[in-house]
Amino acid sequence: MTTNPNQPKIPLWRDDRFWKIAFQVIILVIVIAIISIFTMNLNQNLQRSGIRFGFGFLNSTAGFAIGESIIPYQPTDPYRQVLLAGLVNTLRVMFFGIILTTIVGIIAGISYFSSNWLVRQIGLVYVEIVRNTPLLLQLLFWYGIFLQLPSVSDRLGVFDAIFLTQRGIFIPWPSSSLIWVWLGFLVIAAIASFWIWKQRTKIMVEKGASGQPQLIALGIIALVSLLIILFGFGWEVPAITGTENNPVLRGGLRLTIEFSALLVGLVFYTAAYIAEIVRAGIQSVAKGQWEAARSLGLKPGLVMRLVVFPQALRVIIPPLNSQYLNLAKNSSLAIAVAYADLYNVANTTFNQSGRAVEVMVIIMATYLTINLMISLFMNFLNRRVQLQER
């Protein structure tokens, strides 16, 4: 495309493109100036206090103990080790919290559409109570509930395999040395099952076949996986040892009262919001889709699983991402129930070392990284479920 040399040029101050670029440059300069002012002010205040900004204190001895740690930690270890222990504890709460809250939230959301009146009302009451109650209050409530558990002598047992006591919740736990091998096989089995299921659905839709060979393959994979879980993991069941007057629970996995209260509180609180997201997503599916599925003779459970819910995912996943981020950030309230998460440990660290700025930078960077990783995965998942235009 050529321009007419006789056409008058537009003055620079009347060119929209110039002002769009200029406005962005001005904003950038202002932001840089503000950050520079804050940085200079911070350096001046640190110099007056005789403190030099840096992270060398992480190599100093921490000198304090924490309630629990998955990785090895002793009070004689440096601050970096105790912060790492707190980070691992935080990631454990986030990981299991996201899984459990997704399950509870989907069940509660689907309960709105149940044909059973009692199930619908239970779901409604649960969501309304939990969503309108502060999270901190709920954490303290669950903490108080777990503190009222009986002693080991008067323990509550479930099938003599799970025990609830004031010392914590004891559950069976794998003890096989080949646990990572079996877990790898289960991951491969899950991927293979997903691929076979998609092929079966495609064959049933395009060719009208029954998909029975694929169904048999899925059954075999499920049976083998179940046998591995039952017999390959080498489950270690908690058992009572010691004397009758002084019983001791040994074996299995011990979940502390603090961890249990935090996990349960976060799960039920976040799941109430996820339930509303699921309900809205399901209601966004056109009524004609429900009617068309019922006209094919599908049962209500199959209508929800095969027709409605897959279409609702396009609406559910974006706000679901926000709730996962909220759960990750709300885990910092662990300090209220004395759980040794990253924020709790960092709080003790800067109180002892006096390095409040450096510690806060570490906390902010850590939570920012975790949330960006969650968002990255959820955005990828969101792109996978969107309709692809031809």
Side-chain angles (χ1 to χ4, degrees), residues 293-304:
R294 292 193 186 102
S295 67
L296 295 175
L298 295 178
K299 296 181 179 179
L302 290 176
V303 172
M304 179 64 69

Side-chain angles (χ1 to χ4, degrees), residues 109-110 113-114 278 282 290 293 298-312:
I110 293 178
F113 305 92
S114 174
V278 171
I282 292 175
W290 295 76
L298 295 178
K299 296 181 179 179
L302 290 176
V303 172
M304 179 64 69
R305 181 165 60 88
L306 298 179
V307 178
V308 176
F309 198 76
Q311 297 184 66

Side-chain angles (χ1 to χ4, degrees), residues 83 86-87 89-90 340-347 362-363 366-367:
L83 290 174
L87 173 61
N89 287 343
T90 296
D341 76 320
L342 176 63
Y343 181 77
N344 192 356
V345 171
N347 186 53
I362 293 174
I363 295 176
T366 302
Y367 279 102

